[in-house]
């Protein structure tokens, strides 16, 4: 069902309660998602973004209930990943000549995806599109998180920023607005989204969000392409982004490990005890990487000031779960976080060194060379792990 959210803006997107994974299996979406699309109606009418391809017919059919499709004068594509552009082919079959406003990179991406010669109009930052008494202004935001990304600012109804993925969350809700949903769920999903999708580009995000803030635009709402519309104090998510993009960390240590016969787990728990003894106010959390959702772990790493990664040495290498997680952590480009490695071994024992090298390569600052234990740690070795944890905490 379409939902009128201001006098001239109507939400016409799709809530996807069934979505459990996104980007293939790269990102978990425990609370579903939505693909938000908006109609902006003045003397002229613009449609902002579409929805993911599996919902293309449903989207176009519902859109046709809301408006005669031929009365859509412009289509604005802020970003052309398939979750937003996927319904374009179905829509363009109905209104083939309608101009599509997007960046030059956006046109290239649409052409690369759909191989159609539609009526593209390339726009740059500062370009405007008059809808009559009100105007859309385009603000390029490349690499937030694709090269084509832009925001569209609408100056009617108190000011509305259509920010696409920026400020979004994978969060299904029928309630639509940020003040109508569980605040802690919303905060977690917004952070998880940032940590797993935008953190790689944090320096760019910091510059762009500061640039938009400096424009001092009236802002009644921020309308992202996923999750809630920020209508209650929309500045709160902008503030959070400014914090998250500036090497965010809390007084928190995340210990991630994998274990074959419990030795590395015992080490992890002893290290955690040592950290708590030396720094009782620091929140320490442990995760078995083989049993815990990888994106929930990376979100915990995002929040932490330091991370300890442990794996037994297996086949002269690391466990599958730890190896994969280290690869993800490298791609996410966490900054200004400290780290160290640990793990048990039986003979070759290079796991700890391999983790240290991977952490360093991922941009973490190594506290030391880590700690390892031969076979099953006895009480003496566990005492050494506690002492290691105490020293680790003091080094933060
Ligand atoms: Fe929601 Fe980058 O697509």
């Amino acid at each position: 069902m379409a939902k009128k959210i201001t006098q001239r803006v109507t939400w016409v997107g799709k809530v996807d309660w069934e979505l459990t994974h996104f980007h293939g299996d790269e990102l978990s979406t425990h609370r579903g998602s939505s693909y938000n699309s908006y109609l902006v109606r003045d003397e002229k009418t613009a449609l902002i973004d579409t929805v993911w391809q599996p919902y293309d017919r449903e989207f176009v059919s519902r859109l046709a209930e809301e408006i005669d499709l031929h009365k859509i004068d412009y289509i604005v594509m802020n970003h052309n990943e398939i979750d937003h552009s996927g319904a374009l082919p179905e829509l363009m079959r109905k209104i083939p000549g309608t101009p599509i406003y997007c960046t030059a990179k956006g046109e290239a991406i649409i052409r690369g995806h759909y191989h159609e010669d539609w009526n593209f109009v390339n726009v740059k930052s500062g370009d405007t599109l008059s809808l009559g008494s009100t105007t859309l202004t385009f603000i390029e935001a490349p690499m937030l998180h694709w090269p084509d990304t832009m925001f569209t600012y609408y100056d009617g109804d108190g000011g509305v920023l259509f920010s696409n993925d920026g400020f979004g969350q994978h969060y299904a809700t029928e309630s639509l607005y940020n003040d109508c949903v569980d605040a802690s769920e919303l905060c977690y999903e917004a952070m998880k989204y940032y940590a797993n999708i935008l953190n790689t580009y944090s320096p760019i995000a910091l510059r762009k969000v500061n640039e938009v803030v400096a424009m001092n635009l009236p802002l009644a709402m921020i309308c992202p392409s996923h999750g809630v519309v920020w209508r209650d104090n929309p500045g709160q998510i902008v503030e959070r982004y400014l914090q998250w993009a500036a090497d965010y960390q809390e007084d928190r240590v995340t210990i991630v490990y994998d274990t074959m016969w419990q030795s590395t787990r015992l080490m992890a728990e002893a290290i955690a005890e040592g950290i708590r003894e030396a720094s009782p106010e620091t929140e320490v959390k442990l995760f078995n990487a083989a049993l815990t959702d990888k994106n929930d772990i990376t979100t915990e790493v995002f929040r932490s000031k330091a991370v300890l990664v442990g794996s037994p040495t297996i086949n002269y290498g690391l466990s599958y779960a730890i190896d994969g997680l280290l690869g993800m952590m490298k791609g996410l480009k966490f900054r200004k976080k400290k780290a160290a490695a640990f793990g048990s071994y039986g003979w070759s024992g290079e796991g700890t060194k391999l983790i240290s090298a991977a952490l360093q390569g991922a941009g973490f600052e190594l506290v030391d060379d880590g700690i390892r234990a031969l076979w099953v740690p006895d009480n003496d070795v566990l005492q050494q792990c506690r002492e290691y944890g105490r020293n680790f905490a003091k080094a933060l």
Side-chain angles (χ1 to χ4, degrees):
M1 283 287 289
K3 292 174 181 148
K4 191 169 176 180
I5 60 175
T6 71
Q7 191 190 339
R8 294 191 181 93
V9 179
T10 303
W11 177 92
V12 288
K14 170 67 188 173
V15 180
D16 187 348
W17 289 93
E18 291 189 351
L19 192 77
T20 56
H21 290 87
F22 197 79
H23 288 155
D25 194 31
E26 285 299 299
L27 179 61
S28 60
T29 53
H30 304 314
R31 296 189 174 96
S33 192
S34 64
Y35 319 105
N36 296 336
S37 170
Y38 303 92
L39 271 177
V40 186
R41 284 184 269 217
D42 195 348
E43 290 156 39
K44 299 282 189 181
T45 295
L47 175 74
I48 314 258
D49 297 325
T50 73
V51 305
W52 188 29
Q53 184 275 329
Y55 299 108
D56 59 353
R57 289 190 177 187
E58 180 179 335
F59 168 73
V60 172
S61 141
R62 287 188 175 190
L63 189 61
E65 288 172 21
E66 177 62 24
I67 186 171
D68 175 352
L69 296 180
H70 294 94
K71 291 194 171 151
I72 296 174
D73 299 288
Y74 315 113
I75 298 168
V76 173
M77 292 303 301
N78 279 327
H79 166 46
N80 295 284
E81 196 165 3
I82 291 174
D83 52 326
H84 308 297
S85 63
L88 266 182
E90 178 70 12
L91 182 61
M92 298 312 283
R93 275 192 277 279
K94 313 277 188 197
I95 47 172
T98 310
I100 298 173
Y101 286 69
C102 60
T103 60
K105 290 261 169 55
E107 177 183 341
I109 288 170
I110 295 175
R111 286 183 182 276
H113 280 60
Y114 306 109
H115 314 289
E116 295 281 359
D117 194 24
W118 292 321
N119 179 12
F120 295 103
V121 181
N122 290 168
V123 294
K124 302 186 297 301
S125 279
D127 288 353
T128 58
L129 176 60
S130 173
L131 301 183
S133 62
T134 56
T135 303
L136 297 173
T137 301
F138 305 110
I139 305 166
E140 290 172 275
M143 300 321 298
L144 296 183
H145 66 124
W146 271 23
D148 63 326
T149 303
M150 68 176 185
F151 302 155
T152 296
Y153 177 74
Y154 178 57
D155 67 359
D157 297 345
V160 179
L161 183 68
F162 298 100
S163 56
N164 200 271
D165 286 334
F167 311 121
Q169 334 85 47
H170 286 306
Y171 187 62
T173 173
E174 285 298 320
S175 305
L176 191 59
Y177 300 107
N178 67 308
D179 51 302
C180 297
V181 301
D182 183 302
S184 63
E185 282 185 2
L186 175 60
C187 184
Y188 179 78
E189 292 301 335
M191 178 185 273
K192 180 176 176 180
Y193 193 98
Y194 186 90
N196 287 279
I197 293 183
L198 290 164
N199 189 70
T200 304
Y201 309 107
S202 273
I204 300 170
L206 191 59
R207 277 199 302 277
K208 181 53 64 175
V209 175
N210 271 318
E211 181 189 315
V212 173
V213 169
M215 292 166 81
N216 218 10
L217 301 163
L219 200 56
M221 285 186 190
I222 295 177
C223 293
S225 58
H226 299 289
V228 299
V229 167
W230 299 91
R231 73 171 175 188
D232 176 45
N233 183 17
Q236 67 180 283
I237 189 62
V238 177
E239 282 301 314
R240 285 201 187 127
Y241 263 52
L242 290 173
Q243 292 167 0
W244 292 343
D247 306 323
Y248 182 74
Q249 52 180 249
E250 300 170 17
D251 188 4
R252 180 180 284 261
V253 173
T254 296
I255 302 178
V256 192
Y257 64 92
D258 198 355
T259 195
M260 293 169 67
W261 296 108
Q262 308 302 323
S263 296
T264 304
R265 175 183 64 77
L266 289 169
M267 293 179 75
E269 291 175 0
I271 292 169
E273 285 170 22
I275 295 171
R276 279 198 202 96
E277 279 173 35
S279 182
E281 67 283 1
T282 300
E283 173 134 20
V284 184
K285 284 195 171 185
L286 286 80
F287 300 95
N288 181 320
L291 303 178
T292 313
D293 180 274
K294 60 191 183 307
N295 307 106
D296 289 334
I297 294 176
T298 50
T299 306
E300 292 289 338
V301 172
F302 171 75
R303 301 175 70 175
S304 298
K305 61 183 179 183
V307 57
L308 281 145
V309 179
S311 172
T313 299
I314 173 169
N315 295 336
Y316 311 108
L318 304 175
S319 85
Y320 179 78
I322 290 295
D323 217 15
L325 191 69
L326 286 166
M328 284 191 75
M329 284 162 62
K330 182 177 185 188
L332 293 175
K333 296 195 190 306
F334 296 113
R335 294 164 189 86
K336 298 199 176 155
K337 296 188 193 295
K338 297 194 172 171
F342 65 97
S344 70
Y345 69 104
W347 50 101
S348 61
E350 58 270 73
T352 307
K353 259 190 186 170
L354 291 170
I355 293 171
S356 292
L359 286 168
Q360 200 161 31
F364 289 82
E365 183 188 328
L366 288 183
V367 168
D368 55 31
D369 292 336
I371 182 169
R372 59 183 196 154
L374 181 63
W375 301 119
V376 177
D378 61 11
N379 281 339
D380 285 348
V381 172
L382 291 177
Q383 275 303 344
Q384 288 168 25
C385 289
R386 283 185 201 100
E387 179 63 14
Y388 181 85
R390 286 191 285 273
N391 290 332
F392 184 84
K394 287 174 195 160
L396 300 182

